[in-house]
Amino acid sequence: MKSDNEAILTGNHFLDGDHACCEGAIAAGCRFVAGYPITPSTEVVERIAQRFPLIGGIFIQMEDEIASSIAIAGASWAGKKSMTVTSGPGFSLMMEHIGLAAITETPMVFVNVQRGGPSTGLPTLPAQSDMMQARWGSHGDYEIIALSPNSPQECFNFMIDAFNLSEQYRVPVLFMMDECVGHMIEKVVIPEESKIKLVERKYTSLPPDKYLPFKPGENMVPEFVKAGDGYKIHVTGLTHNEKGYPVINAEAQDKLVRRLVNKIKLNSDKIIRYEEDTVENADVVVVSYGITSRVCIPAINEARAKGIKVGHLRLIVVWPFPEKRIREISGKIKSFVVPELNLGQIFYEVERNACGKADTYLVSHAGGTVHNSEDIYNVIMEAAK
Amino acid sequence: MILENPVNQFLRQDRLPHIWCPGCGIGTTVNCFTRALLESETDLNKVMIVSGIGCTGRVAGYMNLDSFHTTHGRAIPFATGMKLANPDLKVVVYSGDGDISAIGGNHFIHAARRNIEILVICVDNFTYGMTGGQVTPTSHIGAINSTTPYGNFEQPFNLPFLADSSGAVYVARWTAFHVHQLARSIKEALQKKGFSFIEVIAPCPTLYLRRNRLGDGIDEMKYYKEKSVVKNNADTKDVGISFKGEIVVGKFVDRERPSFLESMNVHYKKVLGDSYKTYGE
């Protein structure tokens, strides 16, 4: 790859998902990355390491994923859009700092190029088995936002959305790729800079004596200040009040944790994104995300050719989950089919929101490759009976 | 006329009283730190204080500065990210022996190796105070802790030696008795361009002293006074501490070595030429 002094490489490219993810982060304004090498995500930081010195960014390869995931918190408070990149075992090590980012409302983006697990599992092969870990992996109650791209082009596009959402809601955003999407090479169109819409964090206009760093503002999100601006803020992972001071009691806990959760829940209609194909009047709706949203298309087409009315709902934002939409559909269809590269994760979300009004079928796969289209087809045919 | 204590401006008065026990050494170190800040005439808006978890980890919460109380053991990598993201900031990590040398030990040696321009103040009371007095990597051999009820048999870390051998440009050790020397050391270290480390031996009367029948805070101060030996420039491998033994204090290391950002800028300028714009300017 020829490096370029321009931050945004406007034009047509032939890139894999990992490299496109890097370019998306740069286009989003990310200028601090801390990471630790791990297959199959390493190409993201390798490209960052090559690109950043030429565009005023700073990359540091830390001593482990724990360090990486908190170095970006420090950088974020210092005013830089920041991310870290990892896969399975590294993602497990980062869980504590997803919680820290949630409670301290620190914008940070975590990229996870998913591989087979548990433990070292399948370092070089795909899975989608960290989807529940993304949602629930850190202890305590909190909400995150997670996106799932299915192509290198989406790795570029959705990274911009990931940073925008993280800055807008002051929440950790998890970018849930998989090994297939990370390593597939396709055309990626990088638009002109003027066509890229960025959301910048909202800095307060209040003077230090009037400013409360954790007082909810628009969309329940507090206004920001940068470290070093003279506000003398206190930021803690302890339960805190609007001033940021620790308060260790049930009332403060209720107030803070409910707001952290509601900040995403009550804004979820604005955050949720999915694509639908012929869901209205369908008998069977396939719910998919990531690489599986492409693998299931031949199966859907084959079933349609057999006269089955099959719709497709493809999740772009996986968390928060489109609960309302699944409930609406469930009253009108016979069944959902959920193919995923795990033994049942998003399947349970679909089943829960179907409320028994539609059957939910899982097409499970332990990972290591993608589904056979035929396996998905067979379940669609079964679900249509 | 009542004059205001010059330290007051550095404290979040609305958070007092603090949680530290009577006789605890942490408050004394905070006093020294504030005096060093006063004398060093640093722009206080640019001074960041970052703590991990534990009794000393609470320092960040009482300082009237931008202050960050992070996760257990991870103050140093947080500070690393903060310093690299904005080199104008003066970043100080303030934490305890458990936080810095056990759970955060890996970060400690790597930040020293990289020569990240931060000051790390480690209040070493040889125990985990917040959780009830468990053994730490600096607990002396023979010392009773709640998790070493028959006495500790593990070899403790000699933290100045660890910092020195990992590449720190400034290494000092004082006790909570050496308030003037400590304040001067902090002031000096704040001016260093690189990874600076100050270990402060401090009493934990509630747990460590009581369990080991070492008396109260005042007895520990007498011990520090009687058994401390100032040896500036001492070879750090010789400054290990034993139970009730001599405590070697002083400034052990004060050297120059390019910081992470200096090395990075020089290197990239050399290999990338004019296409590289010096970072942090």
Side-chain angles (χ1 to χ4, degrees):
Chain A
M1 185 204 62
K2 184 178 169 289
S3 52
D4 193 318
N5 226 341
E6 298 296 317
I8 296 169
L9 304 177
T10 303
N12 296 338
H13 301 262
F14 196 50
L15 296 178
D16 75 12
D18 282 357
H19 286 210
C21 167
C22 162
E23 292 305 327
I26 290 171
C30 172
R31 292 295 181 273
F32 185 91
V33 173
Y36 186 85
I38 188 163
T39 306
S41 74
T42 312
E43 293 89 335
V44 182
V45 290
E46 284 173 342
R47 190 171 173 122
I48 289 279
Q50 190 182 28
R51 293 269 282 131
F52 264 18
L54 300 165
I55 61 169
I58 191 154
F59 166 71
I60 182 167
Q61 182 176 312
M62 294 299 284
E63 52 274 18
D64 58 28
E65 287 91 346
I66 301 172
S68 303
S69 60
I70 194 160
I72 62 171
S76 185
W77 280 99
K80 287 259 197 301
K81 289 185 184 176
S82 306
M83 76 162 178
T84 187
V85 183
T86 193
S87 185
F91 196 53
S92 291
L93 288 177
M94 290 180 178
M95 287 301 125
E96 186 177 7
H97 295 139
I98 292 177
L100 179 73
I103 199 169
T104 57
E105 301 183 72
T106 307
M108 357 203 305
V109 173
F110 296 76
V111 175
N112 177 2
V113 186
Q114 293 173 88
R115 66 190 226 185
S119 191
T120 313
L122 302 172
T124 58
L125 299 174
Q128 296 177 306
S129 46
D130 305 345
M131 300 308 294
M132 281 295 175
Q133 185 185 21
R135 172 66 188 85
W136 303 105
S138 201
H139 58 280
D141 287 309
Y142 63 99
E143 289 272 337
I144 50 85
I145 295 173
L147 294 104
S148 177
N150 75 6
S151 67
Q153 181 70 59
E154 289 192 349
C155 288
F156 176 85
N157 295 351
F158 295 174
M159 274 306 280
I160 295 166
D161 299 326
F163 276 95
N164 285 349
L165 287 163
S166 187
E167 296 293 331
Q168 186 178 356
Y169 291 101
R170 292 187 57 173
V171 70
V173 172
L174 313 188
F175 199 68
M176 303 299 287
M177 294 165 59
D178 57 71
E179 187 275 335
C180 283
V181 168
H183 285 160
M184 71 163 64
I185 302 178
E186 287 185 336
K187 182 180 175 184
V188 175
V189 180
I190 299 183
E192 284 172 28
E193 190 176 357
S194 61
K195 302 269 161 56
I196 297 170
K197 276 196 177 165
L198 300 186
V199 177
E200 303 300 338
R201 59 183 68 168
K202 194 174 175 192
Y203 287 110
T204 191
S205 53
L206 294 171
D209 58 327
K210 299 259 162 46
Y211 173 69
L212 290 170
F214 295 95
K215 185 182 178 184
E218 191 186 344
N219 286 326
M220 307 171 78
V221 182
E223 291 181 342
F224 227 116
V225 292
K226 262 205 302 285
D229 279 354
Y231 282 75
K232 296 177 178 165
I233 49 168
H234 183 55
V235 177
T236 176
L238 287 166
T239 295
H240 46 267
N241 60 18
E242 291 182 349
K243 193 155 187 188
Y245 287 2
V247 183
I248 307 304
N249 65 40
E251 291 75 22
Q253 170 76 358
D254 188 80
K255 190 174 175 198
L256 176 66
V257 177
R258 280 191 198 280
R259 181 175 65 76
L260 295 178
V261 167
N262 285 338
K263 167 173 92 167
I264 301 305
K265 272 197 170 168
L266 301 182
N267 289 308
S268 63
D269 285 346
K270 287 180 264 180
I271 299 167
I272 286 168
R273 272 174 72 191
Y274 49 80
E275 284 174 353
E276 288 188 357
D277 169 24
T278 337
V279 165
E280 299 301 326
N281 306 317
D283 288 327
V284 176
V285 170
V286 176
V287 180
S288 71
Y289 57 94
I291 188 61
T292 311
S293 66
R294 295 173 73 168
V295 174
C296 69
I297 286 174
I300 291 171
N301 289 341
E302 207 177 324
R304 284 174 180 166
K306 291 273 167 21
I308 311 291
K309 287 195 224 164
V310 189
H312 187 196
L313 189 153
R314 179 249 163 154
L315 307 170
I316 292 171
V317 170
V318 178
W319 303 114
F321 188 76
E323 299 178 344
K324 262 193 260 174
R325 186 59 186 145
I326 295 294
R327 283 190 200 132
E328 279 166 16
I329 299 169
S330 61
K332 302 174 191 164
I333 66 167
K334 198 167 161 32
S335 36
F336 288 106
V337 172
V338 186
E340 49 185 345
L341 292 178
N342 58 53
L343 301 188
Q345 296 195 12
I346 297 303
F347 159 75
Y348 289 109
E349 274 301 280
V350 176
E351 186 182 53
R352 180 174 71 82
N353 288 293
C355 300
K357 289 192 223 150
D359 292 329
T360 308
Y361 290 80
L362 168 67
V363 193
S364 65
H365 189 306
T369 180
V370 293
H371 289 81
N372 271 328
S373 166
E374 200 180 310
D375 294 337
I376 302 173
Y377 169 79
N378 289 339
V379 177
I380 294 173
M381 297 309 281
E382 167 84 18
K385 277 181 194 165
Chain B
M1 184 179 148
I2 299 168
L3 292 174
E4 196 184 11
N5 187 325
V7 170
N8 280 2
Q9 59 175 308
F10 295 97
L11 301 176
R12 296 183 189 273
Q13 305 280 336
D14 50 352
R15 287 219 57 218
L16 300 177
H18 58 70
I19 61 160
W20 297 313
C21 304
C24 169
I26 299 170
T28 308
T29 73
V30 170
N31 197 326
C32 296
F33 178 61
T34 60
R35 283 169 201 280
L37 284 178
L38 258 181
E39 286 185 19
S40 66
E41 295 171 0
T42 316
D43 177 359
L44 295 179
N45 288 341
K46 301 294 175 199
V47 179
M48 305 291 115
I49 183 147
V50 184
S51 285
I53 299 296
C55 291
T56 313
R58 292 300 184 96
V59 168
Y62 298 121
M63 300 301 299
N64 192 23
L65 300 166
D66 276 342
S67 52
F68 300 87
H69 181 223
T70 64
T71 51
H72 195 21
R74 318 303 171 196
I76 289 175
F78 183 98
T80 298
M82 182 161 257
K83 178 67 188 176
L84 299 187
N86 183 358
D88 291 340
L89 302 176
K90 184 133 287 251
V91 186
V92 179
V93 168
Y94 215 123
S95 230
D97 47 308
D99 194 77
I100 297 278
S101 73
I103 187 166
N106 197 29
H107 311 308
F108 177 69
I109 59 174
H110 284 282
R113 173 182 66 80
R114 293 184 181 111
N115 206 17
I116 303 287
E117 197 182 323
I118 56 176
L119 164 61
V120 175
I121 298 172
C122 176
V123 179
D124 187 355
N125 57 13
F126 314 116
T127 199
Y128 287 92
M130 187 70 86
T131 46
Q134 294 77 32
V135 69
T136 75
T138 61
S139 300
H140 309 117
I141 290 181
I144 307 287
N145 288 281
S146 73
T147 47
T148 51
Y150 305 107
N152 176 37
F153 53 85
E154 286 185 24
Q155 177 69 35
F157 264 141
N158 167 353
L159 292 181
F161 182 42
L162 185 63
D164 180 9
S165 55
S166 302
V169 294
Y170 186 98
V171 180
R173 175 198 280 152
W174 300 104
T175 75
F177 174 74
H178 298 88
V179 288
H180 295 293
Q181 295 92 328
L182 174 59
R184 196 167 57 230
S185 223
I186 295 172
K187 185 184 159 193
E188 249 177 32
L190 282 168
Q191 305 309 320
K192 290 296 289 184
K193 298 252 174 229
F195 185 89
S196 306
F197 175 66
I198 300 173
E199 181 187 34
V200 193
I201 308 298
C204 173
T206 308
L207 298 159
Y208 201 74
L209 301 189
R210 184 183 296 174
R211 277 216 181 92
N212 288 290
R213 303 184 187 281
L214 293 168
D216 211 333
I218 189 75
D219 301 300
E220 189 74 351
M221 286 296 164
K222 284 178 190 156
Y223 161 58
Y224 294 161
K225 187 179 173 202
E226 285 160 17
K227 290 288 192 105
S228 292
V229 183
V230 180
K231 286 186 191 167
N232 290 320
N233 303 311
D235 188 332
T236 54
K237 73 174 181 300
D238 302 328
V239 303
I241 305 173
S242 60
F243 191 64
K244 295 188 186 179
E246 178 184 281
I247 303 172
V248 179
V249 295
K251 179 170 79 174
F252 305 137
V253 176
D254 189 351
R255 61 189 162 206
E256 303 297 322
R257 188 163 79 86
S259 72
F260 179 93
L261 285 174
E262 284 166 347
S263 302
M264 184 186 88
N265 277 330
V266 167
H267 180 74
Y268 283 153
K269 203 79 198 164
K270 194 168 104 190
V271 298
L272 298 172
D274 289 342
S275 52
Y276 181 70
K277 192 174 156 287
T278 305
Y279 182 81
E281 281 185 353

